Amino acid sequence: MNKIATLIMAGILMGMAPSVWAQEVNYDEARIPEYVLPDPMLMQSGKAVKSVKQWEKRRRPELMKLFETEMFGKMPGRPDYMHYELLSEDPAALNGKATRKEIAVYFDSARTLSMTLLMYVPNGADGPVPAFLGANFKGNAGTLGENARRWPFEYIVSKGYAVVTFAREDVDPDHHDGFKNGIHGLMDAGKERQADSWGTISAWSWGLSRALDYLETDDDIDGRRVAVIGHSRLGKTALWAGATDERFALVISNDSGCGGAALSRRRIGETLQAINRNFPHWFCDNYNKYSNNEEALFVDQQGLIALIAPRPVYVASATEDTWADPEGEFLSALYASPVYELYGKKGLAVSSMPKPEQPSLDGDVGYHIRTGKHDITLYDWQQYIKFADKYFK
Ligand code: GTR
């Protein structure tokens, strides 16, 4: 097979539209264009941030607004008529180790749209427990079936954590439907779409915040110790949820790649042109301005991680996940670290890419690269739990 045919095959195997693969994808570090990375601590006025006060009062809001209006799109607030209903409760789940609950979160009084939270809470805890919250790809049933490998409920519960998930498509469909269905259909009815209107990643992030609204009301859970987690497109989602909702005490990005932790200016593996073309519903329309024009980006993805400071954040990569640019994910974590240091926290504890299976857990910015493919595995969860234990135990 020639190179292009190989790329098309690889694309089909990854479940992608072959169209993007007809463009040449660069996987060669030597062919990364020269780029200048804007400093997240440099304000638009050109003044450098020197204190937490300047960061919080001036630069952070400025940067938040840029990510909001230029990349993910503005989210609405919590809907007035949101309400919950316990659908099921099994106190003897996972061989008696956990209580399994399902909760419907209705977004409107007429109950036209809802998401169902599936949760496992460890039994026998002294009080409210910390939790991992993340959306899933294959539906709640899938976390027990075809996607069970990615959701090691028993292991997580054995470590004293609850785990909470919902199907991302309960909140918003993962295809370009002109923003007619899901939460866009409900909350944007009658409104004209703007260039900074929320895309689907914002919608899923919004769903994570609504799930946290519920968790704050659940006596089994400590709402101040909730880690938001996501893999791949849901890793991008977790980072944006962590940036926008400061109630999330810890943020975990697993193989989030382009539009997540990876630096866009490196243009290696997935590029903005490819992501905007293949997933036109994920970001706001303004983001198209940066396709093949990465140098115009207001900052880079290290800025997204910096928005999470001073709360702990963890970025993880996989050796074979070159489409997501592991090196670029690592560099974002590294270059976000000065903002952690401004707070007197420790950023990433290493300054060059660690070897596979040598996690860097010492700083308030954690990182590891695991041998293997684009996936979230038990090994990944083991590191997240060790990292979370530093803050939640
Ligand atoms: C790919 C996409 C990536 C990543 C991945 C996933 O097709 O190009 O940005 O998000 O999907 O979510 O598994």
Side-chain angles (χ1 to χ4, degrees), residues 14 16 137 231-233 236 256 258 270 275 279 282 323 374:
M14 286 177 71
M16 297 195 39
F137 280 83
H231 167 62
S232 204
R233 66 196 69 185
K236 312 180 208 299
S256 62
C258 181
E270 188 170 28
I275 206 166
F279 306 99
W282 280 0
W323 180 239
H374 183 68

Side-chain angles (χ1 to χ4, degrees), residues 27 38 45 88 96 99 101 128 143 165 196 222 249 264 275 287-288 298-299 304 322 343 348 351 393:
Y27 287 114
S45 66
S88 76
T99 296
K101 299 200 270 191
T143 62
T165 186
D196 63 357
D222 180 354
S264 304
I275 206 166
Y287 203 43
N288 290 308
F298 42 96
V299 62
L304 179 61
T322 49
Y343 279 92
L348 194 61
S351 53
K393 285 290 160 78

Side-chain angles (χ1 to χ4, degrees), residues 147-162:
N147 240 353
R149 203 174 34 82
R150 287 185 172 175
W151 293 94
F153 291 133
E154 221 167 317
Y155 173 75
I156 300 166
V157 160
S158 78
K159 296 293 178 185
Y161 290 88

Side-chain angles (χ1 to χ4, degrees), residues 335-386:
Y335 297 143
S337 295
V339 179
Y340 282 79
E341 285 152 16
L342 186 69
Y343 279 92
K345 302 270 174 187
K346 191 169 174 187
L348 194 61
V350 290
S351 53
S352 59
M353 180 80 144
K355 296 220 157 41
E357 284 77 60
Q358 290 189 10
S360 174
L361 304 172
D362 290 342
D364 296 299
V365 178
Y367 179 82
H368 75 251
I369 178 161
R370 156 185 64 72
T371 304
K373 293 194 190 337
H374 183 68
D375 199 359
I376 177 164
T377 67
L378 182 61
Y379 176 85
D380 297 316
W381 278 100
Q382 285 166 337
Q383 313 320 309
Y384 303 148
I385 285 172
K386 275 188 217 157

Side-chain angles (χ1 to χ4, degrees), residues 29-346:
E29 286 279 333
R31 287 181 50 217
I32 290 178
E34 260 184 49
Y35 63 89
V36 180
L37 212 52
D39 179 351
M41 292 218 280
L42 206 56
M43 299 191 246
Q44 279 177 307
S45 66
K47 213 172 144 194
V49 170
K50 295 268 186 271
S51 67
V52 168
K53 195 168 161 210
Q54 280 176 328
W55 173 256
E56 290 185 351
K57 295 264 172 306
R58 307 234 354 240
R59 179 56 175 161
R60 189 177 184 279
E62 180 177 281
L63 204 53
M64 180 63 81
K65 193 155 184 223
L66 286 165
F67 274 102
E68 210 170 42
T69 56
E70 297 292 293
M71 183 171 181
F72 294 105
K74 288 184 192 161
M75 302 178 198
R78 174 188 167 143
D80 289 343
Y81 299 105
M82 194 167 89
H83 59 287
Y84 318 115
E85 188 185 334
L86 179 65
L87 301 176
S88 76
E89 184 161 15
D90 173 9
L94 305 178
N95 298 315
K97 293 188 190 119
T99 296
R100 175 186 196 273
K101 299 200 270 191
E102 286 171 297
I103 288 100
V105 177
Y106 294 102
F107 298 125
D108 60 334
S109 54
R111 298 192 165 191
T112 47
L113 193 72
S114 66
M115 66 177 167
T116 304
L117 305 181
L118 169 67
M119 50 197 288
Y120 286 90
V121 183
N123 284 335
D126 294 338
V129 294
F132 287 92
L133 165 66
N136 65 63
F137 280 83
K138 307 264 178 185
N140 290 349
T143 62
L144 303 162
E146 60 173 320
N147 240 353
R149 203 174 34 82
R150 287 185 172 175
W151 293 94
F153 291 133
E154 221 167 317
Y155 173 75
I156 300 166
V157 160
S158 78
K159 296 293 178 185
Y161 290 88
V163 52
V164 185
T165 186
F166 61 89
R168 74 196 191 292
E169 296 203 297
D170 276 6
V171 180
D172 211 40
D174 195 358
H175 59 267
H176 195 27
D177 64 350
F179 304 99
K180 294 278 178 286
N181 303 306
I183 198 65
H184 284 106
L186 182 71
M187 304 215 27
D188 298 351
K191 288 182 211 153
E192 206 172 314
R193 244 188 112 70
Q194 309 295 323
D196 63 357
S197 292
W198 56 332
T200 296
I201 290 181
S202 262
W204 296 332
S205 302
W206 181 92
L208 288 164
S209 287
R210 303 294 70 85
L212 181 55
D213 293 340
Y214 165 75
L215 293 177
E216 289 186 324
T217 71
D218 187 319
D219 292 340
D220 292 337
I221 306 293
D222 180 354
R224 285 157 309 159
R225 288 185 292 161
V226 176
V228 65
I229 182 167
H231 167 62
S232 204
R233 66 196 69 185
L234 298 175
K236 312 180 208 299
T237 305
L239 287 171
W240 183 228
T244 50
D245 191 335
E246 294 183 72
R247 295 174 300 167
F248 287 116
L250 196 158
V251 182
I252 301 163
S253 148
N254 189 90
D255 302 3
S256 62
C258 181
L263 291 176
S264 304
R265 280 175 177 74
R266 284 169 49 82
R267 303 187 194 198
I268 190 164
E270 188 170 28
T271 59
L272 297 195
Q273 185 178 48
I275 206 166
N276 281 326
R277 189 174 287 177
N278 287 301
F279 306 99
H281 57 297
W282 280 0
F283 303 98
C284 72
D285 287 353
N286 276 335
Y287 203 43
N288 290 308
K289 291 194 278 193
Y290 305 100
S291 291
N292 223 350
N293 185 27
E294 285 82 349
E295 56 285 353
L297 281 166
F298 42 96
V299 62
D300 212 301
Q301 295 306 99
Q302 89 280 34
L304 179 61
I305 296 175
L307 288 174
I308 296 164
R311 292 162 294 144
V313 65
Y314 198 113
V315 174
S317 312
T319 54
E320 292 172 41
D321 190 17
T322 49
W323 180 239
D325 183 19
E327 180 80 26
E329 293 175 323
F330 168 79
L331 290 174
S332 271
L334 182 66
Y335 297 143
S337 295
V339 179
Y340 282 79
E341 285 152 16
L342 186 69
Y343 279 92
K345 302 270 174 187
K346 191 169 174 187

